Amino acid sequence: MSAQEKLRALLETQPVASLAVLERGAPAVSLVPFVVQWDPLRFAIVISDLSPHTQALREDPRVGLLIHEPPTAGDPRSNHALPRLMVSGTAQFLSREEAQVQGFEVLYRSKYEIAEIILGLADFHFCQITPTGGSFIQGFGQAFRLSGPNLDQLEHLGRADPGSRLGAAG
């Protein structure tokens, strides 16, 4: 499977992302369900007014997402080579009507069985995350910087010259 195919499969199959925000200037992380739209790539999360990350995003729209595969049971090495996507982006709150028009609501309802209950609560809001950049780790030695409207332009990040290691005498 190519790196682009692996990346797309990761986004289409994983149910939650780690969401990084700044709460009163300090980093904070939480877990959020997400859906994906393409052309251009955008994520949507549904978050509650009761969650600290919601207020943090209202104050500062800079955001990070981490989406990864789960570790393989019985393989302690898999924890260090998990396929994972790290995205930096900007958050924008959407009205329910905007989420419907953009197709996020139907995606959310089809992906999550609990969507009917969550979307029936007035304190939950759609928040779109538009990527500004990212990186993808497919495994050991398979790291990529991502660019383009769908983050589908991959630049392999190769090893540094062994003679240029930090601390090495020149």
PDB file of all heavy atoms in Angstrom, residues 36-75:
ATOM      1  N   VAL A  36     -14.093  13.425   8.115  1.00  0.00           N
ATOM      2  CA  VAL A  36     -13.198  14.006   7.122  1.00  0.00           C
ATOM      3  C   VAL A  36     -13.966  14.361   5.854  1.00  0.00           C
ATOM      4  O   VAL A  36     -14.808  13.587   5.398  1.00  0.00           O
ATOM      5  CB  VAL A  36     -12.080  12.993   6.759  1.00  0.00           C
ATOM      6  CG1 VAL A  36     -11.167  13.537   5.687  1.00  0.00           C
ATOM      7  CG2 VAL A  36     -11.292  12.601   7.977  1.00  0.00           C
ATOM      8  N   GLN A  37     -13.650  15.512   5.296  1.00  0.00           N
ATOM      9  CA  GLN A  37     -14.101  15.924   3.965  1.00  0.00           C
ATOM     10  C   GLN A  37     -12.853  16.125   3.114  1.00  0.00           C
ATOM     11  O   GLN A  37     -11.805  16.535   3.623  1.00  0.00           O
ATOM     12  CB  GLN A  37     -14.860  17.253   4.030  1.00  0.00           C
ATOM     13  CG  GLN A  37     -16.261  17.146   4.547  1.00  0.00           C
ATOM     14  CD  GLN A  37     -17.255  16.759   3.458  1.00  0.00           C
ATOM     15  OE1 GLN A  37     -16.911  16.073   2.492  1.00  0.00           O
ATOM     16  NE2 GLN A  37     -18.480  17.165   3.643  1.00  0.00           N
ATOM     17  N   TRP A  38     -12.975  15.861   1.817  1.00  0.00           N
ATOM     18  CA  TRP A  38     -11.838  15.979   0.903  1.00  0.00           C
ATOM     19  C   TRP A  38     -12.086  17.072  -0.131  1.00  0.00           C
ATOM     20  O   TRP A  38     -13.214  17.444  -0.388  1.00  0.00           O
ATOM     21  CB  TRP A  38     -11.606  14.646   0.184  1.00  0.00           C
ATOM     22  CG  TRP A  38     -11.275  13.550   1.137  1.00  0.00           C
ATOM     23  CD1 TRP A  38     -12.145  12.667   1.710  1.00  0.00           C
ATOM     24  CD2 TRP A  38      -9.997  13.232   1.669  1.00  0.00           C
ATOM     25  NE1 TRP A  38     -11.480  11.817   2.553  1.00  0.00           N
ATOM     26  CE2 TRP A  38     -10.154  12.141   2.545  1.00  0.00           C
ATOM     27  CE3 TRP A  38      -8.720  13.758   1.479  1.00  0.00           C
ATOM     28  CZ2 TRP A  38      -9.088  11.571   3.231  1.00  0.00           C
ATOM     29  CZ3 TRP A  38      -7.668  13.197   2.153  1.00  0.00           C
ATOM     30  CH2 TRP A  38      -7.855  12.105   3.019  1.00  0.00           C
ATOM     31  N   ASP A  39     -11.016  17.488  -0.765  1.00  0.00           N
ATOM     32  CA  ASP A  39     -11.036  18.428  -1.903  1.00  0.00           C
ATOM     33  C   ASP A  39     -11.594  19.783  -1.562  1.00  0.00           C
ATOM     34  O   ASP A  39     -12.571  20.203  -2.152  1.00  0.00           O
ATOM     35  CB  ASP A  39     -11.756  17.810  -3.095  1.00  0.00           C
ATOM     36  CG  ASP A  39     -11.094  16.530  -3.572  1.00  0.00           C
ATOM     37  OD1 ASP A  39      -9.852  16.496  -3.630  1.00  0.00           O
ATOM     38  OD2 ASP A  39     -11.812  15.571  -3.881  1.00  0.00           O
ATOM     39  N   PRO A  40     -10.993  20.533  -0.680  1.00  0.00           N
ATOM     40  CA  PRO A  40      -9.770  20.286   0.071  1.00  0.00           C
ATOM     41  C   PRO A  40     -10.053  19.541   1.379  1.00  0.00           C
ATOM     42  O   PRO A  40     -11.193  19.521   1.859  1.00  0.00           O
ATOM     43  CB  PRO A  40      -9.256  21.696   0.374  1.00  0.00           C
ATOM     44  CG  PRO A  40     -10.505  22.505   0.518  1.00  0.00           C
ATOM     45  CD  PRO A  40     -11.469  21.906  -0.480  1.00  0.00           C
ATOM     46  N   LEU A  41      -9.000  18.957   1.951  1.00  0.00           N
ATOM     47  CA  LEU A  41      -9.107  18.215   3.206  1.00  0.00           C
ATOM     48  C   LEU A  41      -9.529  19.140   4.337  1.00  0.00           C
ATOM     49  O   LEU A  41      -8.952  20.204   4.527  1.00  0.00           O
ATOM     50  CB  LEU A  41      -7.768  17.564   3.552  1.00  0.00           C
ATOM     51  CG  LEU A  41      -7.699  16.813   4.896  1.00  0.00           C
ATOM     52  CD1 LEU A  41      -8.662  15.640   4.911  1.00  0.00           C
ATOM     53  CD2 LEU A  41      -6.282  16.362   5.171  1.00  0.00           C
ATOM     54  N   ARG A  42     -10.567  18.713   5.059  1.00  0.00           N
ATOM     55  CA  ARG A  42     -11.024  19.394   6.265  1.00  0.00           C
ATOM     56  C   ARG A  42     -11.527  18.337   7.224  1.00  0.00           C
ATOM     57  O   ARG A  42     -12.043  17.306   6.814  1.00  0.00           O
ATOM     58  CB  ARG A  42     -12.164  20.365   5.972  1.00  0.00           C
ATOM     59  CG  ARG A  42     -11.738  21.547   5.125  1.00  0.00           C
ATOM     60  CD  ARG A  42     -12.902  22.182   4.392  1.00  0.00           C
ATOM     61  NE  ARG A  42     -13.397  21.246   3.401  1.00  0.00           N
ATOM     62  CZ  ARG A  42     -14.693  20.991   3.195  1.00  0.00           C
ATOM     63  NH1 ARG A  42     -15.624  21.603   3.869  1.00  0.00           N
ATOM     64  NH2 ARG A  42     -15.056  20.113   2.286  1.00  0.00           N
ATOM     65  N   PHE A  43     -11.367  18.597   8.493  1.00  0.00           N
ATOM     66  CA  PHE A  43     -11.882  17.728   9.544  1.00  0.00           C
ATOM     67  C   PHE A  43     -13.033  18.450  10.219  1.00  0.00           C
ATOM     68  O   PHE A  43     -13.069  19.681  10.250  1.00  0.00           O
ATOM     69  CB  PHE A  43     -10.804  17.453  10.601  1.00  0.00           C
ATOM     70  CG  PHE A  43      -9.579  16.785  10.062  1.00  0.00           C
ATOM     71  CD1 PHE A  43      -8.538  17.532   9.529  1.00  0.00           C
ATOM     72  CD2 PHE A  43      -9.457  15.399  10.084  1.00  0.00           C
ATOM     73  CE1 PHE A  43      -7.402  16.925   9.031  1.00  0.00           C
ATOM     74  CE2 PHE A  43      -8.324  14.785   9.595  1.00  0.00           C
ATOM     75  CZ  PHE A  43      -7.293  15.548   9.066  1.00  0.00           C
ATOM     76  N   ALA A  44     -13.953  17.690  10.777  1.00  0.00           N
ATOM     77  CA  ALA A  44     -14.984  18.288  11.624  1.00  0.00           C
ATOM     78  C   ALA A  44     -15.055  17.472  12.903  1.00  0.00           C
ATOM     79  O   ALA A  44     -15.009  16.238  12.884  1.00  0.00           O
ATOM     80  CB  ALA A  44     -16.340  18.311  10.938  1.00  0.00           C
ATOM     81  N   ILE A  45     -15.133  18.200  14.004  1.00  0.00           N
ATOM     82  CA  ILE A  45     -15.329  17.590  15.310  1.00  0.00           C
ATOM     83  C   ILE A  45     -16.616  18.174  15.877  1.00  0.00           C
ATOM     84  O   ILE A  45     -17.070  19.243  15.452  1.00  0.00           O
ATOM     85  CB  ILE A  45     -14.132  17.834  16.254  1.00  0.00           C
ATOM     86  CG1 ILE A  45     -13.867  19.335  16.452  1.00  0.00           C
ATOM     87  CG2 ILE A  45     -12.887  17.136  15.702  1.00  0.00           C
ATOM     88  CD1 ILE A  45     -12.744  19.649  17.427  1.00  0.00           C
ATOM     89  N   VAL A  46     -17.225  17.466  16.805  1.00  0.00           N
ATOM     90  CA  VAL A  46     -18.425  17.954  17.486  1.00  0.00           C
ATOM     91  C   VAL A  46     -18.054  18.037  18.959  1.00  0.00           C
ATOM     92  O   VAL A  46     -17.717  17.028  19.580  1.00  0.00           O
ATOM     93  CB  VAL A  46     -19.625  17.016  17.259  1.00  0.00           C
ATOM     94  CG1 VAL A  46     -20.835  17.504  18.031  1.00  0.00           C
ATOM     95  CG2 VAL A  46     -19.947  16.930  15.763  1.00  0.00           C
ATOM     96  N   ILE A  47     -18.086  19.274  19.496  1.00  0.00           N
ATOM     97  CA  ILE A  47     -17.603  19.499  20.856  1.00  0.00           C
ATOM     98  C   ILE A  47     -18.623  20.280  21.672  1.00  0.00           C
ATOM     99  O   ILE A  47     -19.412  21.049  21.143  1.00  0.00           O
ATOM    100  CB  ILE A  47     -16.231  20.201  20.851  1.00  0.00           C
ATOM    101  CG1 ILE A  47     -16.239  21.476  20.016  1.00  0.00           C
ATOM    102  CG2 ILE A  47     -15.159  19.239  20.346  1.00  0.00           C
ATOM    103  CD1 ILE A  47     -14.915  22.224  19.994  1.00  0.00           C
ATOM    104  N   SER A  48     -18.567  20.058  22.978  1.00  0.00           N
ATOM    105  CA  SER A  48     -19.524  20.636  23.924  1.00  0.00           C
ATOM    106  C   SER A  48     -19.016  21.931  24.532  1.00  0.00           C
ATOM    107  O   SER A  48     -17.815  22.077  24.799  1.00  0.00           O
ATOM    108  CB  SER A  48     -19.789  19.624  25.042  1.00  0.00           C
ATOM    109  OG  SER A  48     -20.501  20.226  26.096  1.00  0.00           O
ATOM    110  N   ASP A  49     -19.951  22.837  24.811  1.00  0.00           N
ATOM    111  CA  ASP A  49     -19.610  24.058  25.534  1.00  0.00           C
ATOM    112  C   ASP A  49     -19.060  23.747  26.923  1.00  0.00           C
ATOM    113  O   ASP A  49     -18.375  24.580  27.513  1.00  0.00           O
ATOM    114  CB  ASP A  49     -20.846  24.950  25.698  1.00  0.00           C
ATOM    115  CG  ASP A  49     -21.206  25.676  24.414  1.00  0.00           C
ATOM    116  OD1 ASP A  49     -20.297  25.937  23.593  1.00  0.00           O
ATOM    117  OD2 ASP A  49     -22.397  25.985  24.231  1.00  0.00           O
ATOM    118  N   LEU A  50     -19.347  22.560  27.450  1.00  0.00           N
ATOM    119  CA  LEU A  50     -18.883  22.185  28.782  1.00  0.00           C
ATOM    120  C   LEU A  50     -17.417  21.757  28.798  1.00  0.00           C
ATOM    121  O   LEU A  50     -16.817  21.652  29.863  1.00  0.00           O
ATOM    122  CB  LEU A  50     -19.754  21.054  29.347  1.00  0.00           C
ATOM    123  CG  LEU A  50     -21.251  21.365  29.449  1.00  0.00           C
ATOM    124  CD1 LEU A  50     -22.014  20.131  29.910  1.00  0.00           C
ATOM    125  CD2 LEU A  50     -21.496  22.548  30.368  1.00  0.00           C
ATOM    126  N   SER A  51     -16.849  21.522  27.628  1.00  0.00           N
ATOM    127  CA  SER A  51     -15.454  21.072  27.535  1.00  0.00           C
ATOM    128  C   SER A  51     -14.500  22.255  27.495  1.00  0.00           C
ATOM    129  O   SER A  51     -14.727  23.212  26.742  1.00  0.00           O
ATOM    130  CB  SER A  51     -15.256  20.240  26.273  1.00  0.00           C
ATOM    131  OG  SER A  51     -16.080  19.102  26.302  1.00  0.00           O
ATOM    132  N   PRO A  52     -13.435  22.198  28.274  1.00  0.00           N
ATOM    133  CA  PRO A  52     -12.460  23.299  28.267  1.00  0.00           C
ATOM    134  C   PRO A  52     -11.876  23.581  26.878  1.00  0.00           C
ATOM    135  O   PRO A  52     -11.578  24.724  26.549  1.00  0.00           O
ATOM    136  CB  PRO A  52     -11.376  22.838  29.235  1.00  0.00           C
ATOM    137  CG  PRO A  52     -12.035  21.830  30.110  1.00  0.00           C
ATOM    138  CD  PRO A  52     -13.089  21.173  29.265  1.00  0.00           C
ATOM    139  N   HIS A  53     -11.724  22.540  26.038  1.00  0.00           N
ATOM    140  CA  HIS A  53     -11.132  22.776  24.720  1.00  0.00           C
ATOM    141  C   HIS A  53     -12.033  23.624  23.827  1.00  0.00           C
ATOM    142  O   HIS A  53     -11.552  24.301  22.928  1.00  0.00           O
ATOM    143  CB  HIS A  53     -10.728  21.469  24.031  1.00  0.00           C
ATOM    144  CG  HIS A  53     -11.794  20.455  23.906  1.00  0.00           C
ATOM    145  ND1 HIS A  53     -11.797  19.309  24.669  1.00  0.00           N
ATOM    146  CD2 HIS A  53     -12.891  20.386  23.131  1.00  0.00           C
ATOM    147  CE1 HIS A  53     -12.848  18.577  24.351  1.00  0.00           C
ATOM    148  NE2 HIS A  53     -13.529  19.222  23.427  1.00  0.00           N
ATOM    149  N   THR A  54     -13.348  23.624  24.084  1.00  0.00           N
ATOM    150  CA  THR A  54     -14.245  24.446  23.277  1.00  0.00           C
ATOM    151  C   THR A  54     -13.959  25.926  23.512  1.00  0.00           C
ATOM    152  O   THR A  54     -13.797  26.700  22.558  1.00  0.00           O
ATOM    153  CB  THR A  54     -15.716  24.112  23.599  1.00  0.00           C
ATOM    154  OG1 THR A  54     -15.927  22.717  23.348  1.00  0.00           O
ATOM    155  CG2 THR A  54     -16.667  24.931  22.749  1.00  0.00           C
ATOM    156  N   GLN A  55     -13.887  26.325  24.767  1.00  0.00           N
ATOM    157  CA  GLN A  55     -13.572  27.719  25.080  1.00  0.00           C
ATOM    158  C   GLN A  55     -12.174  28.078  24.584  1.00  0.00           C
ATOM    159  O   GLN A  55     -11.957  29.168  24.065  1.00  0.00           O
ATOM    160  CB  GLN A  55     -13.682  27.990  26.584  1.00  0.00           C
ATOM    161  CG  GLN A  55     -13.465  29.436  26.957  1.00  0.00           C
ATOM    162  CD  GLN A  55     -14.465  30.380  26.296  1.00  0.00           C
ATOM    163  OE1 GLN A  55     -15.636  30.047  26.123  1.00  0.00           O
ATOM    164  NE2 GLN A  55     -13.998  31.550  25.903  1.00  0.00           N
ATOM    165  N   ALA A  56     -11.245  27.156  24.708  1.00  0.00           N
ATOM    166  CA  ALA A  56      -9.882  27.413  24.239  1.00  0.00           C
ATOM    167  C   ALA A  56      -9.873  27.696  22.735  1.00  0.00           C
ATOM    168  O   ALA A  56      -9.185  28.618  22.275  1.00  0.00           O
ATOM    169  CB  ALA A  56      -8.977  26.227  24.568  1.00  0.00           C
ATOM    170  N   LEU A  57     -10.648  26.933  21.955  1.00  0.00           N
ATOM    171  CA  LEU A  57     -10.706  27.155  20.507  1.00  0.00           C
ATOM    172  C   LEU A  57     -11.402  28.456  20.157  1.00  0.00           C
ATOM    173  O   LEU A  57     -11.105  29.083  19.144  1.00  0.00           O
ATOM    174  CB  LEU A  57     -11.387  25.980  19.814  1.00  0.00           C
ATOM    175  CG  LEU A  57     -10.557  24.702  19.753  1.00  0.00           C
ATOM    176  CD1 LEU A  57     -11.379  23.560  19.185  1.00  0.00           C
ATOM    177  CD2 LEU A  57      -9.303  24.928  18.933  1.00  0.00           C
ATOM    178  N   ARG A  58     -12.352  28.859  20.975  1.00  0.00           N
ATOM    179  CA  ARG A  58     -13.018  30.144  20.730  1.00  0.00           C
ATOM    180  C   ARG A  58     -12.035  31.302  20.953  1.00  0.00           C
ATOM    181  O   ARG A  58     -12.112  32.329  20.295  1.00  0.00           O
ATOM    182  CB  ARG A  58     -14.238  30.299  21.627  1.00  0.00           C
ATOM    183  CG  ARG A  58     -15.380  29.366  21.249  1.00  0.00           C
ATOM    184  CD  ARG A  58     -16.662  29.737  21.978  1.00  0.00           C
ATOM    185  NE  ARG A  58     -17.713  28.754  21.816  1.00  0.00           N
ATOM    186  CZ  ARG A  58     -18.441  28.571  20.724  1.00  0.00           C
ATOM    187  NH1 ARG A  58     -18.222  29.309  19.653  1.00  0.00           N
ATOM    188  NH2 ARG A  58     -19.386  27.653  20.692  1.00  0.00           N
ATOM    189  N   GLU A  59     -11.104  31.119  21.880  1.00  0.00           N
ATOM    190  CA  GLU A  59     -10.127  32.173  22.193  1.00  0.00           C
ATOM    191  C   GLU A  59      -8.916  32.144  21.260  1.00  0.00           C
ATOM    192  O   GLU A  59      -8.325  33.184  20.990  1.00  0.00           O
ATOM    193  CB  GLU A  59      -9.671  32.040  23.646  1.00  0.00           C
ATOM    194  CG  GLU A  59     -10.781  32.325  24.637  1.00  0.00           C
ATOM    195  CD  GLU A  59     -10.401  32.024  26.077  1.00  0.00           C
ATOM    196  OE1 GLU A  59      -9.222  31.653  26.337  1.00  0.00           O
ATOM    197  OE2 GLU A  59     -11.286  32.133  26.940  1.00  0.00           O
ATOM    198  N   ASP A  60      -8.527  30.967  20.791  1.00  0.00           N
ATOM    199  CA  ASP A  60      -7.346  30.825  19.934  1.00  0.00           C
ATOM    200  C   ASP A  60      -7.608  29.658  18.985  1.00  0.00           C
ATOM    201  O   ASP A  60      -7.629  28.500  19.412  1.00  0.00           O
ATOM    202  CB  ASP A  60      -6.107  30.558  20.791  1.00  0.00           C
ATOM    203  CG  ASP A  60      -4.818  30.548  19.979  1.00  0.00           C
ATOM    204  OD1 ASP A  60      -4.867  30.355  18.737  1.00  0.00           O
ATOM    205  OD2 ASP A  60      -3.750  30.727  20.589  1.00  0.00           O
ATOM    206  N   PRO A  61      -7.827  29.927  17.705  1.00  0.00           N
ATOM    207  CA  PRO A  61      -8.219  28.861  16.771  1.00  0.00           C
ATOM    208  C   PRO A  61      -7.086  27.946  16.307  1.00  0.00           C
ATOM    209  O   PRO A  61      -7.334  27.006  15.548  1.00  0.00           O
ATOM    210  CB  PRO A  61      -8.805  29.636  15.592  1.00  0.00           C
ATOM    211  CG  PRO A  61      -8.055  30.924  15.599  1.00  0.00           C
ATOM    212  CD  PRO A  61      -7.821  31.230  17.068  1.00  0.00           C
ATOM    213  N   ARG A  62      -5.866  28.175  16.784  1.00  0.00           N
ATOM    214  CA  ARG A  62      -4.765  27.273  16.391  1.00  0.00           C
ATOM    215  C   ARG A  62      -4.976  25.919  17.054  1.00  0.00           C
ATOM    216  O   ARG A  62      -5.311  25.839  18.244  1.00  0.00           O
ATOM    217  CB  ARG A  62      -3.416  27.854  16.785  1.00  0.00           C
ATOM    218  CG  ARG A  62      -3.066  29.124  16.020  1.00  0.00           C
ATOM    219  CD  ARG A  62      -1.782  29.714  16.501  1.00  0.00           C
ATOM    220  NE  ARG A  62      -1.941  30.152  17.894  1.00  0.00           N
ATOM    221  CZ  ARG A  62      -0.943  30.544  18.660  1.00  0.00           C
ATOM    222  NH1 ARG A  62       0.288  30.542  18.201  1.00  0.00           N
ATOM    223  NH2 ARG A  62      -1.169  30.939  19.897  1.00  0.00           N
ATOM    224  N   VAL A  63      -4.757  24.865  16.290  1.00  0.00           N
ATOM    225  CA  VAL A  63      -5.083  23.530  16.770  1.00  0.00           C
ATOM    226  C   VAL A  63      -4.117  22.509  16.183  1.00  0.00           C
ATOM    227  O   VAL A  63      -3.521  22.721  15.138  1.00  0.00           O
ATOM    228  CB  VAL A  63      -6.556  23.193  16.387  1.00  0.00           C
ATOM    229  CG1 VAL A  63      -6.736  23.129  14.883  1.00  0.00           C
ATOM    230  CG2 VAL A  63      -7.044  21.935  17.035  1.00  0.00           C
ATOM    231  N   GLY A  64      -3.967  21.404  16.894  1.00  0.00           N
ATOM    232  CA  GLY A  64      -3.218  20.258  16.396  1.00  0.00           C
ATOM    233  C   GLY A  64      -4.079  19.012  16.525  1.00  0.00           C
ATOM    234  O   GLY A  64      -4.882  18.895  17.458  1.00  0.00           O
ATOM    235  N   LEU A  65      -3.938  18.107  15.578  1.00  0.00           N
ATOM    236  CA  LEU A  65      -4.609  16.803  15.637  1.00  0.00           C
ATOM    237  C   LEU A  65      -3.561  15.715  15.492  1.00  0.00           C
ATOM    238  O   LEU A  65      -2.617  15.849  14.711  1.00  0.00           O
ATOM    239  CB  LEU A  65      -5.624  16.632  14.498  1.00  0.00           C
ATOM    240  CG  LEU A  65      -6.904  17.426  14.529  1.00  0.00           C
ATOM    241  CD1 LEU A  65      -7.710  17.157  13.258  1.00  0.00           C
ATOM    242  CD2 LEU A  65      -7.728  17.079  15.751  1.00  0.00           C
ATOM    243  N   LEU A  66      -3.752  14.633  16.232  1.00  0.00           N
ATOM    244  CA  LEU A  66      -2.937  13.427  16.087  1.00  0.00           C
ATOM    245  C   LEU A  66      -3.909  12.274  15.898  1.00  0.00           C
ATOM    246  O   LEU A  66      -4.792  12.050  16.734  1.00  0.00           O
ATOM    247  CB  LEU A  66      -2.080  13.183  17.327  1.00  0.00           C
ATOM    248  CG  LEU A  66      -1.376  11.818  17.399  1.00  0.00           C
ATOM    249  CD1 LEU A  66      -0.338  11.677  16.296  1.00  0.00           C
ATOM    250  CD2 LEU A  66      -0.744  11.617  18.760  1.00  0.00           C
ATOM    251  N   ILE A  67      -3.755  11.574  14.794  1.00  0.00           N
ATOM    252  CA  ILE A  67      -4.592  10.410  14.492  1.00  0.00           C
ATOM    253  C   ILE A  67      -3.642   9.249  14.257  1.00  0.00           C
ATOM    254  O   ILE A  67      -2.693   9.368  13.470  1.00  0.00           O
ATOM    255  CB  ILE A  67      -5.456  10.667  13.246  1.00  0.00           C
ATOM    256  CG1 ILE A  67      -6.341  11.896  13.480  1.00  0.00           C
ATOM    257  CG2 ILE A  67      -6.294   9.435  12.893  1.00  0.00           C
ATOM    258  CD1 ILE A  67      -6.927  12.495  12.232  1.00  0.00           C
ATOM    259  N   HIS A  68      -3.879   8.127  14.953  1.00  0.00           N
ATOM    260  CA  HIS A  68      -2.952   6.997  14.827  1.00  0.00           C
ATOM    261  C   HIS A  68      -3.687   5.675  14.898  1.00  0.00           C
ATOM    262  O   HIS A  68      -4.806   5.577  15.390  1.00  0.00           O
ATOM    263  CB  HIS A  68      -1.869   7.061  15.905  1.00  0.00           C
ATOM    264  CG  HIS A  68      -2.406   6.907  17.301  1.00  0.00           C
ATOM    265  ND1 HIS A  68      -2.627   5.674  17.877  1.00  0.00           N
ATOM    266  CD2 HIS A  68      -2.768   7.821  18.221  1.00  0.00           C
ATOM    267  CE1 HIS A  68      -3.107   5.845  19.098  1.00  0.00           C
ATOM    268  NE2 HIS A  68      -3.192   7.146  19.329  1.00  0.00           N
ATOM    269  N   GLU A  69      -3.008   4.648  14.390  1.00  0.00           N
ATOM    270  CA  GLU A  69      -3.505   3.281  14.523  1.00  0.00           C
ATOM    271  C   GLU A  69      -3.233   2.807  15.947  1.00  0.00           C
ATOM    272  O   GLU A  69      -2.279   3.266  16.580  1.00  0.00           O
ATOM    273  CB  GLU A  69      -2.805   2.351  13.537  1.00  0.00           C
ATOM    274  CG  GLU A  69      -3.232   2.544  12.115  1.00  0.00           C
ATOM    275  CD  GLU A  69      -2.635   1.501  11.181  1.00  0.00           C
ATOM    276  OE1 GLU A  69      -1.830   0.647  11.626  1.00  0.00           O
ATOM    277  OE2 GLU A  69      -2.968   1.558   9.992  1.00  0.00           O
ATOM    278  N   PRO A  70      -4.024   1.858  16.434  1.00  0.00           N
ATOM    279  CA  PRO A  70      -3.726   1.298  17.753  1.00  0.00           C
ATOM    280  C   PRO A  70      -2.500   0.390  17.686  1.00  0.00           C
ATOM    281  O   PRO A  70      -2.166  -0.142  16.630  1.00  0.00           O
ATOM    282  CB  PRO A  70      -4.982   0.496  18.084  1.00  0.00           C
ATOM    283  CG  PRO A  70      -5.629   0.213  16.769  1.00  0.00           C
ATOM    284  CD  PRO A  70      -5.247   1.331  15.841  1.00  0.00           C
ATOM    285  N   PRO A  71      -1.810   0.206  18.827  1.00  0.00           N
ATOM    286  CA  PRO A  71      -0.671  -0.712  18.854  1.00  0.00           C
ATOM    287  C   PRO A  71      -1.117  -2.144  18.549  1.00  0.00           C
ATOM    288  O   PRO A  71      -2.272  -2.502  18.767  1.00  0.00           O
ATOM    289  CB  PRO A  71      -0.154  -0.615  20.292  1.00  0.00           C
ATOM    290  CG  PRO A  71      -0.754   0.612  20.851  1.00  0.00           C
ATOM    291  CD  PRO A  71      -2.034   0.853  20.107  1.00  0.00           C
ATOM    292  N   THR A  72      -0.195  -2.926  18.047  1.00  0.00           N
ATOM    293  CA  THR A  72      -0.462  -4.337  17.772  1.00  0.00           C
ATOM    294  C   THR A  72      -0.225  -5.137  19.050  1.00  0.00           C
ATOM    295  O   THR A  72       0.862  -5.070  19.626  1.00  0.00           O
ATOM    296  CB  THR A  72       0.467  -4.853  16.655  1.00  0.00           C
ATOM    297  OG1 THR A  72       0.279  -4.045  15.499  1.00  0.00           O
ATOM    298  CG2 THR A  72       0.185  -6.312  16.339  1.00  0.00           C
ATOM    299  N   ALA A  73      -1.232  -5.877  19.478  1.00  0.00           N
ATOM    300  CA  ALA A  73      -1.110  -6.691  20.693  1.00  0.00           C
ATOM    301  C   ALA A  73       0.034  -7.686  20.538  1.00  0.00           C
ATOM    302  O   ALA A  73       0.197  -8.308  19.485  1.00  0.00           O
ATOM    303  CB  ALA A  73      -2.411  -7.422  20.968  1.00  0.00           C
ATOM    304  N   GLY A  74       0.842  -7.810  21.589  1.00  0.00           N
ATOM    305  CA  GLY A  74       1.930  -8.782  21.586  1.00  0.00           C
ATOM    306  C   GLY A  74       3.178  -8.326  20.857  1.00  0.00           C
ATOM    307  O   GLY A  74       4.144  -9.075  20.766  1.00  0.00           O
ATOM    308  N   ASP A  75       3.171  -7.117  20.289  1.00  0.00           N
ATOM    309  CA  ASP A  75       4.346  -6.614  19.582  1.00  0.00           C
ATOM    310  C   ASP A  75       4.786  -5.305  20.234  1.00  0.00           C
ATOM    311  O   ASP A  75       4.297  -4.236  19.884  1.00  0.00           O
ATOM    312  CB  ASP A  75       4.035  -6.381  18.108  1.00  0.00           C
ATOM    313  CG  ASP A  75       5.248  -5.891  17.318  1.00  0.00           C
ATOM    314  OD1 ASP A  75       6.345  -5.749  17.911  1.00  0.00           O
ATOM    315  OD2 ASP A  75       5.098  -5.644  16.110  1.00  0.00           O
TER     316      ASP A  75
END
